[in-house]
Amino acid sequence: MKNFKYISHSENDTMNFAKKLASKLKVGDVVVLSGELGAGKTKFTEGFLSYFGLEKEISSPTFTIVNEYKNKDINIYHFDVYRLEDTDEFYAMGGEEYFENGICIIEWGEQIEEILPKDYTKITFSKSEENENYRELKIEQNKKYEIVYADPPWQYKVYSDKGKGRSAESHYQTMKIKDICNLPVRNIT
């Protein structure tokens, strides 16, 4: 698993980061969001949904466990599994069936980590002690995903290379500099 850190300086930074990530994901991808209340998980989800034109639809799934969002191209399932007693409850609601039918965003997903698909991205949100608007996002990704760095090191690109049959290195060599986002990220592994 690869680990990276992203420092968000505002809600807009968090939403823009989420939007860029959303642009690279597809049906079957899972993103686990972890962190204390008020750390930015809902703003991340709002940014994520905005890529699909669904930002006005967002509501917290705290009491419903899952909210389903659909546009003409894709289904997005936003889970909040905080209130589940155990993984059996997730199975009982047919939760694992969602994994193959859309993109899943799972708040408090560490509670069902043992039943998540092998390939997923985990983002842990932490509040800054120095500035109430800053958030640290720790991104943990398996080999299905890569974050590719350019020079200077605060530029990055998130993409999925599943099924494309080429390595991260060859993909990086074919990228145009205009495709690289200007958001502060640094490798922490």
Side-chain angles (χ1 to χ4, degrees):
M1 198 167 260
K2 292 187 177 189
N3 296 325
F4 301 91
K5 188 184 292 184
Y6 171 70
I7 305 300
S8 170
H9 296 97
S10 66
E11 290 179 348
N12 280 343
D13 276 0
T14 300
M15 291 171 62
N16 286 333
F17 177 83
K19 191 173 185 176
K20 293 295 181 183
L21 179 63
S23 75
K24 305 303 173 189
L25 300 183
K26 60 188 175 310
V27 171
D29 289 331
V30 175
V31 179
V32 171
L33 307 180
S34 182
E36 63 184 283
L37 293 172
K41 298 182 299 291
T42 300
K43 282 298 172 187
F44 175 93
T45 303
E46 186 178 337
F48 194 95
L49 292 173
S50 74
Y51 175 76
F52 300 99
L54 298 167
E55 65 274 12
K56 292 187 169 101
E57 307 293 321
I58 189 168
S59 63
S60 177
T62 301
F63 297 104
T64 59
I65 308 299
V66 63
N67 284 335
E68 299 182 21
Y69 304 99
K70 298 178 184 194
N71 73 11
K72 62 181 180 183
D73 299 319
I74 198 157
N75 297 326
I76 300 166
Y77 304 109
H78 179 202
F79 293 85
D80 184 330
V81 297
Y82 181 77
R83 297 193 188 296
L84 295 184
E85 292 291 323
D86 55 33
T87 55
D88 290 339
E89 281 189 63
F90 191 76
Y91 281 124
M93 64 177 270
E96 75 281 3
E97 294 174 20
Y98 288 93
F99 295 148
E100 59 196 44
N101 294 315
I103 297 173
C104 294
I105 301 170
I106 306 174
E107 294 188 39
W108 307 99
E110 63 275 8
Q111 295 188 185
I112 60 164
E113 208 157 17
E114 65 201 49
I115 63 170
L116 291 173
K118 186 182 94 173
D119 294 329
Y120 67 93
T121 297
K122 181 178 182 181
I123 303 174
T124 304
F125 294 74
S126 302
K127 295 179 182 178
S128 168
E129 293 179 15
E130 293 91 40
N131 187 314
E132 67 181 35
N133 294 317
Y134 286 16
R135 299 292 186 267
E136 178 182 291
L137 283 61
K138 180 182 176 191
I139 300 103
E140 300 173 75
Q141 298 186 304
N142 56 32
K143 54 188 167 174
K144 176 180 170 184
Y145 302 100
E146 298 291 334
I147 293 181
V148 179
Y149 286 86
D151 259 331
W154 58 83
Q155 295 178 317
Y156 76 103
K157 173 114 176 151
V158 179
Y159 74 100
S160 171
D161 64 352
K162 181 181 178 186
K164 293 184 181 169
R166 58 184 175 191
S167 69
E169 185 177 310
S170 66
H171 181 76
Y172 177 76
Q173 292 170 353
T174 62
M175 284 183 354
K176 305 268 191 274
I177 196 70
K178 68 178 176 58
D179 294 330
I180 298 174
C181 309
N182 290 312
L183 295 173
V185 176
R186 66 183 176 95
N187 191 339
I188 60 171
T189 56

